[in-house]
Amino acid sequence: MICSCCGQEVKPKARLDAFAARRQGAPLTGGVLRALMAARSPMPLRDLVCAVYADDPDGGPESADHCVMVAIHRLRPQLRDIGWTIKRHGWSGYALQPALAGRTTPAGKSS
């Protein structure tokens, strides 16, 4: 990806960092993104919920698992635009990873 301001190539990690910085004011999607960026391996959903709602004295809403899954669903297309995705790794959890260029999605759209 080329920067529209300076014309230089922007590295994938730099794009992710810039995207995360813009999400600071979004507690749920920003929290999911920050937790996944900090994780060194796939994060189980329960651990992700605990990380996102760590500052909530009640541990988040009763439907916290669902809220985090919705946040992941909303983040995926936005991340795809900058060359990243959130991948589910079976039972081991969710992880951020670079998107595969030219991969076709189920809807037949190129990602």
Side-chain angles (χ1 to χ4, degrees):
M1 176 178 262
I2 303 298
C3 176
S4 60
C5 297
C6 67
Q8 299 290 322
E9 182 179 358
V10 181
K11 302 286 184 200
K13 179 71 170 100
R15 290 190 302 240
L16 183 61
D17 290 339
F19 179 78
R22 291 190 308 270
R23 307 293 312 162
Q24 290 297 333
L28 184 56
T29 55
V32 168
L33 186 58
R34 284 187 297 278
L36 290 174
M37 288 177 71
R40 296 186 181 268
S41 60
M43 239 181 143
L45 181 60
R46 189 76 235 145
D47 293 350
L48 194 50
V49 168
C50 289
V52 170
Y53 291 105
D55 295 334
D56 188 320
D58 296 326
E62 285 186 30
S63 60
D65 290 4
H66 179 72
C67 293
V68 168
M69 290 182 350
V70 168
I72 290 169
H73 174 76
R74 290 181 178 163
L75 279 168
R76 279 183 172 139
Q78 296 171 28
L79 288 168
R80 192 176 308 121
D81 290 344
I82 61 166
W84 287 84
T85 189
I86 298 173
K87 176 86 171 153
R88 179 165 179 164
H89 292 271
W91 293 105
S92 60
Y94 295 90
L96 274 171
Q97 66 183 46
L100 300 174
R103 184 173 166 228
T104 304
T105 61
K109 298 178 183 173
S110 188
S111 61

